[in-house]
Amino acid sequence: MNCSALLSLMLMLVQLWSCSPSTQIHSAQNIDLSFTASRRVKRGWLWEPLFATEEQTSVVPVYVGQLKSDLDKQDGKLKYILTGEGAGSIFTIDENNGKIYVTQKLDREKKPFYTLRAQAINRSTQLPVEPESEFIIKVRDINDHEPQFLDGPYVATVPEMSPEGTSVTQVTATDGDDPSYGNSARLLYSLIQGQPYFSVEPKTGVIRMASQMDRETKDQYLVIIQAKDMVGQAGAFSATATVTINLSDINDNPPKFQQRLYYLSVSEEAPVGTTVGTVFAEDSDIGENAAMNYFIEGDSSDVFDIITNNETQEGIILLKKRVDYESKRRYSIQAKVVNRYTDDRFLKEGPFEDKTIVKINVEDADEPPVFTLENYVMEIAEAAVSGSLVGVVTARDPDDDDCPVRYSIVHGMHLKRLFSINEHNGTIVTTKPLDREIASWHNITVTATETRNPEKISEANVYIQVLDVNDHAPEFPKYYETFVCENAVSGQLIQSISAVDKDDSAEGHHFYFSLAEESTNNSHFTVKDNQDNTAAIFTARSGFRRQEQFSFYLPILILDNGTPPLTSTNTLTITVCDCDTEVNTFYCRYGAFMYAMGLSTEALVAVLACILILL
């Protein structure tokens, strides 16, 4: 086998070695450790991966590694040349043996690797014996950075009484070291302050509840978390962050009255709606979890009411109905308070309500006199003589001392002229006779005043009805214009009449009609009572002559059914008319008028003709 064949065989073996699984595993391990340097395998070049450790300080150059050509026989004929990033300034090479040195302090966080090129030349010919090859020097990391919490300080909120293991929040720290090499950037979280209430997951920084906590006992906790690199090994750097954890409220506490018994008082003069007092129930919760409603239980709910002050959460007891010291001096009511919103998780621990007793004393006050009735109704017959008794009003002082009262009438002067009252006993009498036909009712107001305290005064209405007596006789309701024709026959109806009476009859009016006695025998007319409060006037003869008698005056007697019955005589005027089949009423009216003025029929015709001509 010749030399060229042997050289080809050696190159193939080198290539196969570089592609073998063991070589790949070795390379992967170097990558996992983050300290491997990539290299390009060129024919004739021999070198190992090159690394330079950061932050090294030395007065002499620090050896990094060696470049070597397989053609180097170590006889000084080859010269090594270095170019690229940092060549000649940061990195130097021994041109005789290819050893590379670093002369300055490196910082991996600023520049993690340097790309350089190497060349080997023959010193005699200055010709390259190897082609120029590129390689990388990686800066190996050291633990020179502390962890940092960039988002701190932290604030988190979690509901109180949350079960163990509940996630509260997560803290995260960063480390500027190389995470792909060693443990410099591998952080471990631990709890410096916050035990035994909280715990932290070492790898994730998630803070969790370690026990159930009650906000009403303590509502805020300060937790300190430490992040340590190098997985907590010796020489590791650390940093801390504070986490303020607030416990939010849940409704886990029922309201409780401050007192088992309250004492309040209210004056009997207090109007409806008066605030009697307040009760207060404490609730350790806050916000809407402490909102509550108050109620009154039992029979006293019709006298007192209770409302909730939403700002102070007090129960305000109000007067719903007037109280009277003389009737009832003490009330005992039961007040109940209930949470407005409840949490079903805690209902098993008991009802979220509480009860208390409120005793309310009614305070006596100087009250005005009280009438036995609010309204009095009295009767008096009309035309009763002055001084007649109408009725009696009575008022008394409801207070224990029973002060005497004085009565008076407070309405207008016209009523005082009709009635008077005895200021000592409340007797009301008339001061003059009353006429029902003028006023059938009189309304007066009577006052009762305490004699020792004139400011205490009360009023009562007195309604007085004037009873009717039969003091008005019936009469015609109007003036009747009655006419009879000269050619009228006997028994002819000439007029229907009725009557009215100003008196008021409880059984209804009934009138009786007849001719007056003086006209019964020689009258030319008759009266027929229809038994329905009306009567009919008939002629008693045939034929009348205007020239002999122009009008007749017929006295009619009207009798009522009152007690005692009253009668009146009303005169009906009957005018005789010159008419044919039908009575010309208009002509008869003016004929009667002219006749009364002494004009004849011919004169009447002339007057009418003149009127027509003028029209």
Side-chain angles (χ1 to χ4, degrees):
M1 182 179 296
N2 54 23
C3 293
S4 62
L6 183 60
L7 181 61
S8 299
L9 180 61
M10 291 178 64
L11 290 175
M12 289 177 63
L13 290 175
V14 171
Q15 291 177 350
L16 288 174
W17 175 83
S18 64
C19 296
S20 66
S22 61
T23 304
Q24 292 177 356
I25 292 173
H26 177 72
S27 176
Q29 290 174 347
N30 288 337
I31 292 173
D32 290 341
L33 293 174
S34 303
F35 297 127
T36 61
S38 61
R39 67 184 178 89
R40 297 175 61 188
V41 178
K42 296 292 184 178
R43 182 179 61 83
W45 283 109
L46 296 174
W47 64 69
E48 295 296 329
L50 301 177
F51 298 94
T53 304
E54 68 169 334
E55 302 296 339
Q56 284 186 323
T57 57
S58 177
V59 295
V60 296
V62 178
Y63 175 74
V64 176
Q66 184 178 14
L67 302 177
K68 186 176 182 182
S69 172
D70 58 353
L71 298 178
D72 188 358
K73 305 301 183 181
Q74 297 182 357
D75 54 3
K77 292 182 178 182
L78 296 184
K79 177 181 179 181
Y80 294 93
I81 301 174
L82 185 68
T83 60
E85 293 179 330
S89 58
I90 299 175
F91 299 100
T92 60
I93 189 169
D94 188 330
E95 61 182 15
N96 296 316
N97 54 25
K99 291 183 178 180
I100 300 175
Y101 299 89
V102 60
T103 61
Q104 296 182 16
K105 184 171 69 172
L106 304 180
D107 188 350
R108 187 200 67 84
E109 285 70 36
K110 291 183 178 180
K111 191 169 180 61
F113 62 88
Y114 293 84
T115 303
L116 297 101
R117 290 178 299 279
Q119 191 176 29
I121 62 173
N122 190 300
R123 288 181 182 273
S124 301
T125 64
Q126 296 298 311
L127 295 176
V129 297
E130 293 285 358
E132 188 178 54
S133 180
E134 183 177 278
F135 66 95
I136 294 175
I137 298 178
K138 295 193 69 174
V139 181
R140 179 173 290 168
D141 184 47
I142 65 171
N143 189 21
D144 61 341
H145 285 81
E146 296 179 354
Q148 288 184 326
F149 289 95
L150 301 180
D151 298 328
Y154 297 85
V155 177
T157 302
V158 64
E160 65 171 328
M161 305 304 292
S162 295
E164 182 178 348
T166 300
S167 175
V168 179
T169 188
Q170 183 178 20
V171 296
T172 303
T174 60
D175 194 309
D177 294 322
D178 187 359
S180 62
Y181 174 74
N183 296 324
S184 297
R186 293 182 63 185
L187 304 179
L188 195 68
Y189 297 94
S190 61
L191 201 64
I192 301 299
Q193 177 179 311
Q195 300 94 341
Y197 309 109
F198 302 95
S199 64
V200 63
E201 293 183 357
K203 294 182 178 181
T204 63
V206 174
I207 301 174
R208 298 186 181 277
M209 300 284 286
S211 63
Q212 283 190 328
M213 287 176 286
D214 188 5
R215 186 200 65 83
E216 287 71 38
T217 302
K218 187 177 181 180
D219 63 352
Q220 189 178 81
Y221 293 82
L222 185 64
V223 176
I224 299 178
I225 302 295
Q226 182 186 66
K228 208 170 189 180
D229 60 14
M230 297 289 290
V231 201
Q233 298 174 359
F237 291 112
S238 64
T240 59
T242 59
V243 183
T244 302
I245 300 177
N246 298 307
L247 297 183
S248 61
D249 185 55
I250 62 174
N251 192 8
D252 59 340
N253 292 280
K256 293 291 183 183
F257 278 107
Q258 289 183 325
Q259 301 172 214
R260 294 291 93 188
L261 184 62
Y262 288 83
Y263 290 97
L264 302 174
S265 61
V266 60
S267 172
E268 64 176 338
E269 286 186 320
V272 172
T274 298
T275 298
V276 179
T278 60
V279 295
F280 181 65
E282 289 182 327
D283 193 322
S284 301
D285 298 318
I286 59 175
E288 68 175 17
N289 293 323
M292 60 191 77
N293 292 326
Y294 293 87
F295 303 93
I296 289 179
E297 295 183 334
D299 298 336
S300 298
S301 60
D302 60 342
V303 181
F304 299 97
D305 194 11
I306 189 169
I307 61 175
T308 304
N309 185 326
N310 291 323
E311 293 184 0
T312 63
Q313 296 301 316
E314 290 179 309
I316 304 174
I317 299 177
L318 304 175
L319 190 62
K320 191 176 180 181
K321 182 180 177 182
R322 291 287 297 269
V323 292
D324 183 21
Y325 174 83
E326 287 70 31
S327 300
K328 189 172 183 179
R329 302 185 179 185
R330 187 174 293 104
Y331 291 86
S332 179
I333 65 176
Q334 181 170 269
K336 182 173 77 171
V337 63
V338 179
N339 263 143
R340 194 174 301 166
Y341 309 102
T342 57
D343 193 327
D344 296 339
R345 295 176 297 174
F346 301 98
L347 291 179
K348 61 184 179 181
E349 298 182 6
F352 277 65
E353 62 181 46
D354 195 21
K355 296 180 180 180
T356 189
I357 300 298
V358 182
K359 293 187 178 294
I360 302 175
N361 293 323
V362 180
E363 296 178 345
D364 189 24
D366 188 5
E367 299 177 274
V370 178
F371 282 94
T372 56
L373 297 174
E374 292 183 4
N375 299 299
Y376 292 85
V377 179
M378 302 177 180
E379 297 176 346
I380 182 70
E382 68 173 329
V385 298
S386 178
S388 297
L389 176 65
V390 179
V392 179
V393 296
T394 303
R396 60 174 296 272
D397 183 7
D399 299 321
D400 290 341
D401 56 0
D402 194 13
C403 177
V405 298
R406 181 183 298 110
Y407 302 94
S408 64
I409 296 176
V410 299
H411 270 136
M413 292 301 297
H414 69 286
L415 293 177
K416 289 187 176 181
R417 289 196 296 267
L418 297 177
F419 305 96
S420 66
I421 189 171
N422 187 303
E423 66 176 8
H424 301 294
N425 57 25
T427 300
I428 300 174
V429 297
T430 61
T431 56
K432 62 186 298 185
L434 305 177
D435 189 351
R436 190 201 67 84
E437 285 69 37
I438 296 177
S440 59
W441 284 90
H442 296 279
N443 303 332
I444 64 175
T445 300
V446 175
T447 63
T449 307
E450 287 187 10
T451 57
R452 289 197 293 267
N453 187 0
E455 293 183 356
K456 299 300 178 180
I457 185 172
S458 58
E459 296 181 350
N461 296 317
V462 180
Y463 304 100
I464 302 173
Q465 182 181 18
V466 181
L467 301 178
D468 185 47
V469 297
N470 195 21
D471 58 347
H472 289 81
E475 58 186 4
F476 283 153
K478 63 179 181 178
Y479 174 76
Y480 289 104
E481 289 184 319
T482 306
F483 304 96
V484 62
C485 292
E486 288 182 315
N487 57 356
V489 297
S490 178
Q492 181 176 334
L493 176 65
I494 62 173
Q495 184 69 54
S496 291
I497 60 175
S498 62
V500 293
D501 194 327
K502 294 181 180 179
D503 294 320
D504 185 16
S505 174
E507 300 177 356
H509 289 292
H510 190 78
F511 303 117
Y512 305 94
F513 300 88
S514 62
L515 283 175
E517 292 184 2
E518 63 269 18
S519 301
T520 302
N521 298 325
N522 57 355
S523 176
H524 301 292
F525 303 94
T526 60
V527 177
K528 180 184 177 183
D529 192 334
N530 295 326
Q531 300 299 316
D532 61 355
N533 291 340
T534 64
I537 308 299
F538 295 92
T539 57
R541 74 175 193 179
S542 299
F544 294 89
R545 290 181 58 83
R546 297 176 68 248
Q547 290 79 6
E548 294 180 358
Q549 189 169 352
F550 185 77
S551 59
F552 295 89
Y553 300 100
L554 185 66
I556 298 176
L557 186 67
I558 306 175
L559 175 68
D560 64 17
N561 61 337
T563 303
L566 296 180
T567 62
S568 66
T569 301
N570 297 265
T571 301
L572 182 66
T573 302
I574 303 173
T575 303
V576 179
C577 290
D578 182 10
C579 49
D580 296 329
T581 305
E582 296 181 358
V583 178
N584 191 331
T585 305
F586 177 79
Y587 176 77
C588 281
R589 283 196 187 100
Y590 281 94
F593 174 72
M594 293 301 178
Y595 182 81
M597 296 180 64
L599 299 176
S600 62
T601 303
E602 293 77 7
L604 178 60
V605 172
V607 170
L608 291 175
C610 292
I611 293 174
L612 291 174
I613 292 172
L614 291 174
L615 291 175

